[in-house]
Amino acid sequence: MFLRGGNFKQTIAQVKVEDGEEITKETATTAVIRAAHFFSALQASDGHWPAENAGPLFFLPPLVGLHINTISV
């Protein structure tokens, strides 16, 4: 993983919701902020999202898109 050169440390506590427990606005907000913090660490300094899709995997996403677009609805 990229995670800022291995120096990433999640500083926001993990939110745990038990079965039957109501999800509060504070719980949801904390979870969204924690996720944004994680994904911002995955993003490269120049703003792109690096991925390791070399070789045949490089061609797979466009082919899947073409296949989906050719299926009649």
Side-chain angles (χ1 to χ4, degrees):
M1 280 188 146
F2 195 70
L3 295 178
R4 302 273 184 223
N7 295 330
F8 175 75
K9 194 164 211 133
Q10 185 64 270
T11 57
I12 303 168
Q14 184 177 9
V15 178
K16 295 191 179 193
V17 179
E18 301 294 328
D19 285 342
E21 185 180 347
E22 188 173 326
I23 300 172
T24 63
K25 183 177 180 180
E26 180 183 332
T27 303
T29 303
T30 302
V32 169
I33 292 171
R34 188 173 197 269
H37 186 242
F38 174 75
F39 283 111
S40 68
L42 285 176
Q43 192 173 17
S45 59
D46 64 354
H48 82 282
W49 298 89
E52 293 183 23
N53 53 347
L57 291 177
F58 177 76
F59 297 108
L60 192 57
L63 292 176
V64 170
L66 286 172
H67 177 71
I68 290 172
N69 286 333
T70 59
I71 297 173
S72 62
V73 180

